[in-house]
Amino acid sequence: MGFGQIFRIERMRVDPALTQALRSRWDTEASAFAFPWEHMIPSLEDVSRITGLRVYGRAVSGYTYPCYHDLAERFLDLPVERRSSLVPRVALQESLGLYEAGKNAGESEDEYLARLARVSRRDLASEPGPQVDLDLRRFLVLFLGRLLFATRGDAVHCRFLPLLEDLGEVGGYAWGAAFLAHQFDGLSASERQMSTSGFYPFLQVWAYLHLPALGRGDLTRPGFVPIARRWDSRRDTRHLVDQLERLQEAINSCPYLDVVWQPYLGEGDEGQPWLAQARPYFGRSVWLHALNLVLPLNLFLTQRSLGLRQSVVEFPVRDRFRRPGRSFRGLHDTINWRERACEQIENWERKGKGVRSDATTDDAYLQAYALKYGGKVYKSARHQVVVTGEIALLRALLQSAVQDQEAAQRQTTELPNELERVRGTGAGGASSSRSAGGSPSLMEARLTGAVLRAKEAQRHLEERERDLELAHEHAMELQGERDRLRVEAQATRSERDQLRIRAEAAKAQIAEMTRELATLRVQRPPGDQEEVTRLRAELLAQQTLSRSLQQIVTDIGRSRSRSRSGASVSRATGPPSDSIWRVPPAGGGTRRRSVTVRARVAPMMVEGWRDAATSG
């Protein structure tokens, strides 16, 4: 891929809202986007078709150094500060004659590129020799460090400079695979960043192709290759926060049938000779390499993008290759990554592992996916939609049923038309049918059977969809009932705390009266029996009241404990698959137990006060 093509793609308008919306969906553990419908992953085929970069050949691996000062002076002949690995961008552009070659007003991109080429030819050496190698290395450092593997800041890093020593080997590296590893690493950075490092048009065009319902791109130049040249970013004048919120809501409510899993089915290979050698790397899970970046491409998580049914897989835990740190300036030792990541290098040379699936439906995967991610995939810019794992599971199953039903509906519509076409051929098509290995009557019988089977499948799917809708409504009702019970439990706890305070106050009063009675026993005259009897009666009444209050608190606590244990037992013993389809009887056991406790507590309170009054 030439410099002109990359430059034309790079002129695309940046869309920070789309980039941030995609970043918020990135699952660092799986190195994939976690959307409400399923995982999606940018693949090597996406890189090859969108950018035209080479995704085959040698892994981009080698040595990294704590300082690139000596290498920069030897290979670039540019001033670099001691203990620094960064080359000033201005000095690098001036050495190539590109610093002041800006685009003029009213100048088209083709005119600008032609003028840029003239300036470059005038300033760069044209005869083979050391000066040509020097200019080429300068250009490659600018191209790799500033455009393809860009990092935050204005300076250009020299980390790929060791690979440019032998210019004859530069074209043999899989720069596209290294670019994808760099994209994964940028997406895993902090969500507070509003953009990703690297070549930003790639992610934007990837979203245009796979998620056209978002409406963020305009196809202005059909037929151009690489595909990124066909698209322009749609201008949006709204505030960035408003754009982000609308994109989040659009992803949450995106029709699942509008997701394009295989956007290249009708795409040819004309004008893209690099695709022939890249095809053996398509559709395979493999480790990606970019020096100290060694990251997995877990393509088995998106088997639907390969035209397969998504089988149940074990979701990966974060399995990143251990490396010293994110920043090259933090690497204080010279490291040979071909030795340190030898197993991953061998994996790349074997072209990874092919993805296979024997699943007949996506339901099992969607169940596992919904239970793992729950409501985390339903995000919003201003608020989080709280959805339990069970409700997320029902949503996933319902959407799967809708997809299957619509597919069956299309088949049911197409098969009768095909049947009528076969019937219409009549005797005129009999000879050609026999020569093809069958008769019209046999084809008609097969088509009739296919129509009946499609109708029967559609009927079953409609019934399944209705059941899932009822189960989803029931799950929502259960969630509302749970919220109501939580409010009642809070009120009960408040009442219990008040009764406990009253019981503690009664205990304190009893202790005070006991001390007063003991004092009277010691100090009273021999004939003061009446006062002692009155105090004893009051003491008995307070003790009776204290016991009543303590019994109330105990009964409330036991009622709450039985309510929680009963609910947990019912959830634990109920069948996990059938329980979501049954509607429990109206009312709840917790409410009846609460009423029973109150019925027991009220007579005890009345009896306690009656005893106190009688004793008084």
Side-chain angles (χ1 to χ4, degrees), residues 415-430 432-433 440-441 443-444 447:
L415 286 174
N417 297 334
E418 183 67 17
L419 179 60
E420 292 298 328
R421 187 186 66 78
V422 172
R423 286 175 176 173
T425 57
S432 62
S433 298
S441 59
M443 293 179 62
E444 182 177 346
L447 287 172

Side-chain angles (χ1 to χ4, degrees), residues 595-611:
V595 173
T596 304
V597 171
R598 293 193 181 100
R600 292 177 54 195
V601 168
M604 292 173 59
M605 294 179 64
V606 174
E607 183 176 342
W609 287 109
R610 186 186 299 117
D611 293 343

Side-chain angles (χ1 to χ4, degrees), residues 2-12 112-113 116 147:
F3 169 72
Q5 292 179 343
I6 274 284
F7 188 81
R8 285 187 178 95
I9 297 173
E10 195 271 339
R11 302 295 293 177
M12 179 185 296
Y112 174 47
L113 288 174
L116 194 63
L147 187 62

Side-chain angles (χ1 to χ4, degrees), residues 42-44 47 175-185 202 288 297:
S43 65
L44 291 174
V47 174
W175 294 105
F179 164 75
L180 190 58
H182 184 73
Q183 288 286 312
F184 287 175
D185 188 60
F202 170 73
L288 305 174
L297 173 62

